Each structure stands twice: as structure tokens, then as C-alpha cells.
Amino acid sequence: MVRHGGRYLDESFRQPLRDVVLGPGREALERMRSGDLGAREEVAADPVLRAGVLRAAQYDRRDGDLPLLRFLLEHESAARTQWFEERRSAAVLVALHGQDGDVPLLRSATAGQFTDSAGAVEWARAEEAKRHGRDVAAESEFTWIELAHRQGRVEHARVALIRMLDDTGPDADRLRELSRALERIGDHAQAARAQFNLLSLQDTAWDRASEAYVLARLERRKGDLAAAGRALERARAAVCADGTTTDGAVPQWHRRGLGRLITEQHLELTLAAVEAGDAELARATMAHGRLLLDTIGKESAKALGRLSTRAKWAVAGLRPPGA
């Protein structure tokens, strides 16, 4: 058993994550290559398994794979899920074979990126050059983390992300990606940790405000409402929402999406504070929220109408101070 964060995990956590998540796809791919009709039916019906098969085929290419690659591309094109990366990968693998008969399918899958098989091959080679081609070791760890999450291996994804976060220095892009990935799997505490470090690296008022409202959301979901309030204070300071003026403030922030997002987090925190019985925080946050609602653009305030009404009624239902 492997110990992590005070808990013991099974031996699969010793394996590279890519091998864990590619396992089902590799097995299904071999079954498909052997002519197993049951495997084809399983892959056709399961977009997550299909994603694993595509990845397995990308890194283990065989001359006879074209028919099954067409099969994968046909199903990816028909499904048109949010996972467009799989459709692109399948199209690349098919296009590299340079068959004229595949051009209609490829054009449909790629929104007409080319007109003939020569153009398809050229496109596919360019796509591979931009990415990782056959080199599985060069693939981003986030690829395997996302696939683990989709497979339901949330703990594998979480452990991998925390290990990456522990090893990450002052790298804003990497911290942002870690924060968002941790939030997607529901680990708001570790996401807030990454986001706090990310916020400390921001140089402009816009970026500080943008990352501060995200930190507020994560701290609230983590359950640390006081920390969420402090994050919103930093967001207000960055855009000078409290009436102060500082160098580098964000011009017209209140008329842009940023104003709506900051306001939304004030209203969400107000509701969370009421639910938690923190009347002082609820009232203070709602006071800022009212000012923001009066400041941001009319369309933004209208979009938040239902949420602001709930927050106002929640505060109105609190006992008067000292009662």
C-alpha cells in the first residue's frame, strides 16, 4: 500500500498514471484488432472508453488499423460531444493514411479543413507536429488526469494533481491549470491553495481582480467563508470598487464581465454566510453587493436579478443586531 496525505492507497498509485488510464483502452483496442464484435459495440456505446482506445491507437500504430480508425472517427463525428479533442485525434489518425475515400468523412469531422487526400495528409502532419504525435512520454500529465477523472478515477486524478502542485514553483500558467483542474474534481481546498499562490503572482489590477474572485469562489466552496470575504476585498481593491483610486485600476471594469463576476461572488457569499449563521459577514458582504449592483451595467445587474433577490431576502430574514 502507498501512503498519501495520511491515507493508504492501493498499488495502482505506484504506476504511471498514463498506464493506469490507458489500460482499458489498450485492452479494448487489442480486442477490436482481433475482430471481437463485442468490443466494437462497447467502444461505440462508451465515449470514455472510446477516448482511451483513441489514445492507445495514437501511441501504438499498426498498418491494419485504418478500418477501426474510421469506425472510431465515425462515432466521434456522430456523437459531437464536448470532447472535440477525440474527434480531432481520430481525424488525424485516419488522414495520415491518405485515402481518397476518407476525404468526405474527414471534411465533415474537421469543418472542411482540406479538399483532397494530399491536403488531409498535410493537415494531419501539421497537427501532429503541433502536438505530441507518437511520443506518449511527451504528452501533458493533464491529459491523463482528465482521462482519469472521466473514468471515475477521481482519487488517482487528485493524487497526481497534488503531487504536481507540491512540485510547482512561481509558474502562473501551471498554477492556473492546476487550480482549475482541482476545482473540476471537487478538491476546493487544494484548488484554493493553487489559486492563492496564483493570485500572489499577478502584476496588473485586471489580473488581480480576475484571480481574486476565483479564489473567493474556491474558499467559499471549501467552507472558509472568512477567507472568501478576504479574497473579495482584494478583488474590490484591485478595481477600486470602494471608491478609492490607485494606479493601474481597471477602466470601465463595472461595464465588463468582470464586474458581474465579482458581484455574483458577493451574492453567493452572502447566501453562504446566512446559511452558516454568520450574520455579520452576511450583512457586510451584502452591503458591498448592493453597491456593486448599483455600479455594474444594467444588463449585468439584470442577469443577477434572481440571485440578488434571494440574497436580499436572506439578509432581511436575519435577526436585528443585538436582538
Side-chain angles (χ1 to χ4, degrees):
M1 301 290 281
V2 181
R3 187 175 177 83
H4 179 83
R7 292 176 293 172
Y8 286 97
L9 307 173
D10 66 53
E11 290 301 321
S12 67
F13 289 85
R14 288 190 181 276
Q15 297 176 254
L17 183 59
R18 67 170 181 264
D19 290 338
V20 174
V21 299
L22 281 175
R26 286 168 171 164
E27 180 183 358
L29 177 60
E30 289 306 314
R31 290 171 59 201
M32 292 175 72
R33 283 169 171 163
S34 70
D36 186 334
L37 295 179
R40 291 172 71 92
E41 292 174 359
E42 291 171 21
V43 170
D46 187 342
V48 178
L49 179 58
R50 200 159 59 242
V53 171
L54 276 165
R55 288 292 180 182
Q58 177 181 350
Y59 302 118
D60 178 18
R61 303 184 188 186
R62 308 281 178 87
D63 291 338
D65 277 352
L66 182 55
L68 68 86
L69 294 174
R70 288 188 188 119
F71 171 83
L72 294 170
L73 179 55
E74 286 167 355
H75 282 83
E76 286 300 324
S77 295
R80 292 284 171 176
T81 68
Q82 61 175 312
W83 305 100
F84 62 89
E85 183 69 16
E86 272 90 61
R87 188 164 65 250
R88 183 203 65 80
S89 296
V92 166
L93 292 172
V94 171
L96 286 170
H97 287 266
Q99 298 295 305
D100 291 337
D102 291 324
V103 172
L105 174 61
L106 289 166
R107 281 179 55 79
S108 174
T110 63
Q113 291 285 322
F114 36 78
T115 58
D116 55 28
S117 59
V121 172
E122 183 179 356
W123 169 81
R125 287 173 177 168
E127 286 293 306
E128 284 219 302
K130 287 190 293 186
R131 292 172 173 82
H132 306 293
R134 304 184 185 203
D135 187 359
V136 67
E139 187 66 60
S140 168
E141 189 72 6
F142 287 105
T143 296
W144 313 125
I145 288 167
E146 187 60 50
L147 187 52
H149 186 203
R150 292 174 66 189
Q151 290 176 347
R153 303 176 196 269
V154 177
E155 192 63 13
H156 282 83
R158 195 182 78 84
V159 168
L161 286 166
I162 292 173
R163 285 171 177 164
M164 292 172 69
L165 181 55
D166 288 343
D167 292 337
T168 298
D171 182 333
D173 290 340
R174 188 175 178 87
L175 286 167
R176 184 176 295 105
E177 198 165 4
L178 285 165
S179 173
R180 305 305 186 262
L182 284 158
E183 183 178 16
R184 282 196 297 274
I185 68 169
D187 193 333
H188 298 114
Q190 293 295 334
R193 174 185 160 208
Q195 188 67 25
F196 184 88
N197 291 336
L198 173 61
L199 176 55
S200 72
L201 298 176
Q202 304 312 304
D203 295 325
T204 70
W206 174 277
D207 289 340
R208 285 194 294 274
S210 298
E211 302 301 350
Y213 87 76
V214 173
L215 178 60
R217 180 181 72 221
L218 294 171
E219 295 287 13
R220 172 174 54 81
R221 290 177 175 172
K222 166 187 162 186
D224 192 339
L225 303 188
R230 291 192 296 272
L232 289 178
E233 184 177 352
R234 296 177 72 175
R236 294 194 305 272
V239 297
C240 307
D242 294 328
T244 58
T245 57
T246 62
D247 293 337
V250 182
Q252 298 294 306
W253 65 270
H254 56 294
R255 298 189 184 280
R256 303 159 92 171
L258 180 60
R260 180 183 64 79
L261 292 167
I262 293 172
T263 306
E264 180 181 36
Q265 289 309 309
H266 279 77
L267 300 174
E268 293 284 8
L269 180 57
T270 297
L271 289 168
V274 170
E275 185 175 351
D278 192 337
E280 182 179 356
L281 177 60
R283 290 193 177 94
T285 306
M286 191 66 231
H288 289 297
R290 289 179 186 276
L291 289 173
L292 288 164
L293 286 166
D294 291 339
T295 303
I296 61 176
K298 290 183 180 179
E299 288 301 314
S300 292
K302 183 178 179 180
L304 295 173
R306 185 171 297 180
L307 182 61
S308 66
T309 298
R310 287 176 54 213
K312 290 171 184 176
W313 275 111
V315 171
L318 293 171
R319 291 184 178 183

